[in-house]
Amino acid sequence: MLKTFKAWLRGSRLEWIDEVPKFGDQQIQVHVTFLENEPALEAKSRGRRMAEILNNLAKSQTLNVDPVAWQREIRQDRSLPGR
């Protein structure tokens, strides 16, 4: 079973918060995972705000483009060099 130990990282040193692992002076390999401090609620509210902005943009019809005409214009044949 794996044990988890809490620590503060200060510069290049870990300072144990709760229980201290008992490894003596032995050098051990560790894996440190930094967790994001951003609250989940804030991320959800940003998503809702983005959806609201996209809905407003769709309703405003500022990008009123006929997709078939746009595709025809983009795919117009051009003269080939040397022919």
Side-chain angles (χ1 to χ4, degrees):
M1 178 174 151
L2 298 175
K3 291 195 90 177
T4 302
F5 299 96
K6 294 182 181 179
W8 294 109
L9 177 63
R10 295 183 193 265
S12 61
R13 304 188 73 165
L14 289 175
E15 295 179 9
W16 304 110
I17 295 174
D18 294 329
E19 183 182 355
V20 177
K22 296 178 179 148
F23 295 112
D25 291 334
Q26 177 184 1
Q27 181 178 358
I28 56 172
Q29 180 179 2
V30 297
H31 297 270
V32 177
T33 303
F34 289 95
L35 303 176
E36 293 182 25
N37 290 331
E38 180 180 336
L41 184 60
E42 183 180 320
K44 288 180 183 177
S45 65
R46 279 190 296 152
R48 278 193 222 112
R49 178 72 177 132
M50 182 171 38
E52 182 181 313
I53 291 170
L54 290 173
N55 282 332
N56 290 341
L57 182 62
K59 289 177 186 175
S60 70
Q61 297 182 356
T62 56
L63 300 174
N64 194 6
V65 177
D66 178 21
V68 175
W70 176 82
Q71 187 177 26
R72 282 189 188 128
E73 181 183 333
I74 295 299
R75 291 188 171 192
Q76 285 181 355
D77 290 336
R78 60 178 186 244
S79 61
L80 298 174
R83 292 189 184 189

